Short mmCIF file of all heavy atoms in Angstrom, two decimals:
data_model
loop_
_atom_site.label_atom_id
_atom_site.label_comp_id
_atom_site.label_asym_id
_atom_site.label_seq_id
_atom_site.Cartn_x
_atom_site.Cartn_y
_atom_site.Cartn_z
N PHE A 474 94.38 17.32 18.48
CA PHE A 474 95.61 16.55 18.69
C PHE A 474 95.21 15.28 19.35
O PHE A 474 94.25 15.06 19.95
CB PHE A 474 96.47 17.30 19.75
CG PHE A 474 96.81 18.72 19.31
CD1 PHE A 474 96.10 19.82 19.75
CD2 PHE A 474 97.84 19.01 18.35
CE1 PHE A 474 96.27 21.11 19.36
CE2 PHE A 474 98.03 20.23 17.98
CZ PHE A 474 97.41 21.29 18.47
N PRO A 475 96.16 14.21 19.04
CA PRO A 475 95.89 12.96 19.65
C PRO A 475 95.82 12.98 21.14
O PRO A 475 96.58 13.74 21.80
CB PRO A 475 97.12 12.03 19.15
CG PRO A 475 97.70 12.89 17.99
CD PRO A 475 97.32 14.35 18.27
N GLN A 476 94.98 12.20 21.79
CA GLN A 476 94.79 12.25 23.19
C GLN A 476 95.46 10.83 23.77
O GLN A 476 95.09 10.63 24.97
CB GLN A 476 93.33 12.38 23.56
CG GLN A 476 92.78 13.69 23.02
CD GLN A 476 93.39 14.96 23.60
OE1 GLN A 476 93.50 15.00 24.82
NE2 GLN A 476 93.81 15.85 22.74
N ASP A 477 96.12 10.11 23.06
CA ASP A 477 96.44 8.73 23.53
C ASP A 477 97.45 8.85 24.77
O ASP A 477 97.45 8.04 25.58
CB ASP A 477 97.19 7.86 22.52
CG ASP A 477 97.21 8.32 21.17
OD1 ASP A 477 96.83 9.53 20.92
OD2 ASP A 477 97.78 7.65 20.22
N ASP A 478 98.33 9.91 24.77
CA ASP A 478 99.23 10.01 25.89
C ASP A 478 98.87 11.19 26.81
O ASP A 478 99.04 12.31 26.37
CB ASP A 478 100.71 10.14 25.34
CG ASP A 478 101.92 10.23 26.29
OD1 ASP A 478 101.47 10.35 27.59
OD2 ASP A 478 102.93 10.22 26.05
N PRO A 479 98.39 10.97 27.95
CA PRO A 479 97.91 12.05 28.87
C PRO A 479 98.98 13.07 29.12
O PRO A 479 98.71 14.23 29.26
CB PRO A 479 97.48 11.29 30.00
CG PRO A 479 97.29 9.78 29.74
CD PRO A 479 98.22 9.61 28.58
N ASP A 480 100.24 12.65 29.08
CA ASP A 480 101.31 13.51 29.35
C ASP A 480 101.54 14.55 28.20
O ASP A 480 102.15 15.62 28.46
CB ASP A 480 102.63 12.82 29.76
CG ASP A 480 102.49 12.09 31.16
OD1 ASP A 480 101.69 12.42 31.95
OD2 ASP A 480 103.09 11.00 31.23
N MET A 481 101.31 14.21 27.10
CA MET A 481 101.41 14.89 25.86
C MET A 481 100.14 15.60 25.24
O MET A 481 100.25 16.25 24.33
CB MET A 481 102.19 14.14 24.90
CG MET A 481 103.55 13.58 25.20
SD MET A 481 104.70 14.78 25.49
CE MET A 481 105.05 15.29 23.79
N ALA A 482 99.04 15.09 25.80
CA ALA A 482 97.78 15.59 25.31
C ALA A 482 97.57 17.12 25.37
O ALA A 482 97.99 17.79 26.35
CB ALA A 482 96.59 14.96 26.06
N GLU A 483 97.02 17.73 24.26
CA GLU A 483 96.79 19.10 24.18
C GLU A 483 95.28 19.30 23.94
O GLU A 483 94.63 18.39 23.21
CB GLU A 483 97.55 19.79 23.03
CG GLU A 483 99.04 19.73 23.17
CD GLU A 483 99.43 20.84 24.22
OE1 GLU A 483 98.66 21.86 24.49
OE2 GLU A 483 100.63 20.82 24.82
N PRO A 484 94.68 20.41 24.36
CA PRO A 484 93.25 20.44 24.03
C PRO A 484 92.95 20.85 22.76
O PRO A 484 93.91 21.41 21.99
CB PRO A 484 92.89 21.62 25.04
CG PRO A 484 94.14 22.46 25.34
CD PRO A 484 95.13 21.37 25.24
N THR A 485 91.69 20.61 22.25
CA THR A 485 91.36 21.16 20.85
C THR A 485 91.55 22.69 20.96
O THR A 485 90.85 23.25 21.92
CB THR A 485 89.97 20.58 20.53
OG1 THR A 485 90.03 19.21 20.47
CG2 THR A 485 89.50 21.24 19.20
N MET A 486 92.03 23.29 19.91
CA MET A 486 92.10 24.79 19.90
C MET A 486 91.54 25.28 18.54
O MET A 486 91.47 24.54 17.63
CB MET A 486 93.64 25.12 20.01
CG MET A 486 94.29 24.88 21.20
SD MET A 486 96.00 25.59 21.04
CE MET A 486 96.85 24.10 21.65
N THR A 487 91.31 26.64 18.60
CA THR A 487 90.94 27.22 17.25
C THR A 487 91.94 28.33 17.07
O THR A 487 92.26 29.13 17.94
CB THR A 487 89.52 27.91 17.46
OG1 THR A 487 88.52 27.05 17.76
CG2 THR A 487 89.12 28.62 16.27
N TYR A 488 92.38 28.33 15.87
CA TYR A 488 93.43 29.37 15.42
C TYR A 488 92.86 30.44 14.52
O TYR A 488 92.20 30.01 13.61
CB TYR A 488 94.68 28.57 14.77
CG TYR A 488 95.68 29.53 14.20
CD1 TYR A 488 96.63 30.23 14.91
CD2 TYR A 488 95.75 29.63 12.77
CE1 TYR A 488 97.55 30.96 14.31
CE2 TYR A 488 96.63 30.49 12.24
CZ TYR A 488 97.52 31.15 13.01
OH TYR A 488 98.49 31.85 12.40
N LEU A 489 92.99 31.69 14.83
CA LEU A 489 92.56 32.84 14.14
C LEU A 489 93.75 33.64 13.78
O LEU A 489 94.57 33.94 14.54
CB LEU A 489 91.65 33.51 15.08
CG LEU A 489 90.37 32.88 15.68
CD1 LEU A 489 89.68 33.71 16.66
CD2 LEU A 489 89.49 32.28 14.58
N GLU A 490 93.79 33.97 12.57
CA GLU A 490 94.77 34.90 12.00
C GLU A 490 94.36 36.25 11.53
O GLU A 490 93.38 36.16 10.74
CB GLU A 490 95.64 34.10 11.01
CG GLU A 490 96.86 34.72 10.53
CD GLU A 490 97.68 33.94 9.58
OE1 GLU A 490 98.05 32.72 9.90
OE2 GLU A 490 97.78 34.33 8.45
N GLY A 491 94.92 37.23 11.96
CA GLY A 491 94.68 38.59 11.51
C GLY A 491 95.81 39.29 10.80
O GLY A 491 96.90 38.67 10.69
N PHE A 492 95.54 40.51 10.51
CA PHE A 492 96.74 41.20 9.76
C PHE A 492 97.93 41.54 10.58
O PHE A 492 99.02 41.42 10.18
CB PHE A 492 96.13 42.69 9.36
CG PHE A 492 95.24 42.60 8.23
CD1 PHE A 492 93.93 43.03 8.30
CD2 PHE A 492 95.71 42.13 7.00
CE1 PHE A 492 93.11 43.08 7.24
CE2 PHE A 492 94.79 42.18 5.84
CZ PHE A 492 93.59 42.50 6.02
N THR A 493 97.72 41.59 11.94
CA THR A 493 98.90 41.95 12.74
C THR A 493 99.08 40.93 13.99
O THR A 493 100.02 41.13 14.72
CB THR A 493 98.74 43.35 13.32
OG1 THR A 493 97.44 43.43 14.13
CG2 THR A 493 98.68 44.43 12.28
N SER A 494 98.24 40.03 13.98
CA SER A 494 98.44 39.03 15.08
C SER A 494 97.74 37.70 14.84
O SER A 494 96.97 37.62 13.91
CB SER A 494 97.84 39.63 16.41
OG SER A 494 96.45 39.83 16.28
N ALA A 495 97.96 36.81 15.67
CA ALA A 495 97.33 35.48 15.62
C ALA A 495 96.79 35.10 17.07
O ALA A 495 97.43 35.51 18.02
CB ALA A 495 98.17 34.40 15.15
N THR A 496 95.69 34.40 17.05
CA THR A 496 95.12 33.99 18.33
C THR A 496 94.89 32.60 18.45
O THR A 496 94.31 32.00 17.50
CB THR A 496 93.77 34.80 18.62
OG1 THR A 496 94.05 36.21 18.44
CG2 THR A 496 93.18 34.60 19.96
N TYR A 497 95.12 31.93 19.61
CA TYR A 497 94.73 30.57 19.86
C TYR A 497 93.76 30.58 20.93
O TYR A 497 93.99 31.05 22.00
CB TYR A 497 96.00 29.76 20.29
CG TYR A 497 97.05 29.58 19.15
CD1 TYR A 497 98.07 30.48 19.05
CD2 TYR A 497 97.09 28.45 18.44
CE1 TYR A 497 99.00 30.32 18.05
CE2 TYR A 497 98.03 28.19 17.38
CZ TYR A 497 98.99 29.15 17.25
OH TYR A 497 99.87 28.96 16.40
N LEU A 498 92.53 29.95 20.62
CA LEU A 498 91.53 29.85 21.48
C LEU A 498 91.57 28.45 22.17
O LEU A 498 91.57 27.54 21.40
CB LEU A 498 90.19 30.12 20.96
CG LEU A 498 90.08 31.47 20.26
CD1 LEU A 498 88.61 31.58 19.52
CD2 LEU A 498 90.15 32.75 21.21
N GLU A 499 91.60 28.40 23.48
CA GLU A 499 91.66 26.96 24.05
C GLU A 499 90.49 26.68 24.95
O GLU A 499 90.22 25.53 25.20
CB GLU A 499 92.93 26.95 24.90
CG GLU A 499 94.23 27.01 24.12
CD GLU A 499 95.44 26.96 24.87
OE1 GLU A 499 95.47 26.27 26.02
OE2 GLU A 499 96.47 27.46 24.57
N LYS A 500 89.81 27.66 25.50
CA LYS A 500 88.70 27.38 26.44
C LYS A 500 87.51 26.80 25.64
O LYS A 500 87.23 27.26 24.52
CB LYS A 500 88.16 28.58 27.06
CG LYS A 500 89.16 29.37 27.91
CD LYS A 500 88.55 30.66 28.40
CE LYS A 500 89.74 31.36 29.22
NZ LYS A 500 89.18 32.78 29.51
N PRO A 501 86.96 25.70 26.16
CA PRO A 501 85.80 25.09 25.49
C PRO A 501 84.68 26.16 25.11
O PRO A 501 84.17 25.91 23.96
CB PRO A 501 85.31 24.01 26.49
CG PRO A 501 86.42 23.64 27.27
CD PRO A 501 87.40 24.91 27.43
N SER A 502 84.45 27.02 25.90
CA SER A 502 83.43 28.09 25.64
C SER A 502 83.68 28.83 24.35
O SER A 502 82.84 29.41 23.74
CB SER A 502 83.07 28.87 26.81
OG SER A 502 84.33 29.68 27.13
N GLU A 503 84.96 29.04 24.11
CA GLU A 503 85.56 29.73 22.91
C GLU A 503 85.57 28.81 21.72
O GLU A 503 85.40 29.26 20.56
CB GLU A 503 86.92 30.42 23.24
CG GLU A 503 86.89 31.38 24.33
CD GLU A 503 88.22 31.83 24.69
OE1 GLU A 503 89.24 31.00 24.60
OE2 GLU A 503 88.34 32.99 25.16
N VAL A 504 86.03 27.63 21.91
CA VAL A 504 86.34 26.68 20.82
C VAL A 504 84.98 26.00 20.18
O VAL A 504 84.66 25.83 19.09
CB VAL A 504 87.16 25.50 21.23
CG1 VAL A 504 87.29 24.46 20.09
CG2 VAL A 504 88.62 26.18 21.62
N ASP A 505 83.88 25.71 21.14
CA ASP A 505 82.81 25.09 20.78
C ASP A 505 81.96 25.83 19.64
O ASP A 505 81.52 25.07 18.85
CB ASP A 505 81.90 24.77 22.07
CG ASP A 505 82.42 23.71 22.96
OD1 ASP A 505 83.34 23.04 22.42
OD2 ASP A 505 81.93 23.70 24.14
N PRO A 506 81.86 27.16 19.65
CA PRO A 506 81.15 27.75 18.49
C PRO A 506 81.76 27.48 17.21
O PRO A 506 81.07 27.25 16.21
CB PRO A 506 81.12 29.21 18.90
CG PRO A 506 81.30 29.24 20.40
CD PRO A 506 82.11 28.07 20.67
N TYR A 507 83.14 27.40 17.17
CA TYR A 507 83.85 27.11 15.88
C TYR A 507 83.68 25.70 15.46
O TYR A 507 83.53 25.35 14.35
CB TYR A 507 85.30 27.51 16.01
CG TYR A 507 85.54 28.85 16.07
CD1 TYR A 507 85.62 29.66 17.35
CD2 TYR A 507 85.58 29.69 14.94
CE1 TYR A 507 85.79 30.93 17.42
CE2 TYR A 507 85.88 31.09 15.00
CZ TYR A 507 85.90 31.69 16.20
OH TYR A 507 86.09 33.06 16.24
N LEU A 508 83.68 24.79 16.44
CA LEU A 508 83.37 23.37 16.22
C LEU A 508 82.00 23.18 15.55
O LEU A 508 81.77 22.45 14.57
CB LEU A 508 83.52 22.44 17.39
CG LEU A 508 84.93 22.28 17.94
CD1 LEU A 508 84.93 21.60 19.22
CD2 LEU A 508 85.76 21.42 16.95
N ALA A 509 81.08 23.75 16.14
CA ALA A 509 79.65 23.82 15.67
C ALA A 509 79.62 24.47 14.41
O ALA A 509 78.93 23.81 13.41
CB ALA A 509 78.62 24.47 16.66
#
């Protein structure tokens, strides 16, 4: 997400979708492996 407005800034996330649920990972330690 854009980081220009600190009040509206959201962290980079990873979205995973399964058969019965969806997961949003927000912690850098969880997101970084997906970025790599």
Side-chain angles (χ1 to χ4, degrees):
F474 305 97
Q476 301 294 313
D477 0 357
D478 184 351
D480 294 330
M481 300 293 289
E483 292 286 337
T485 297
M486 292 184 231
T487 301
Y488 172 75
L489 307 170
E490 188 174 300
F492 285 118
T493 60
S494 65
T496 304
Y497 291 90
L498 305 175
E499 295 182 24
K500 296 176 187 170
S502 62
E503 297 171 330
V504 174
D505 288 348
Y507 289 93
L508 290 170

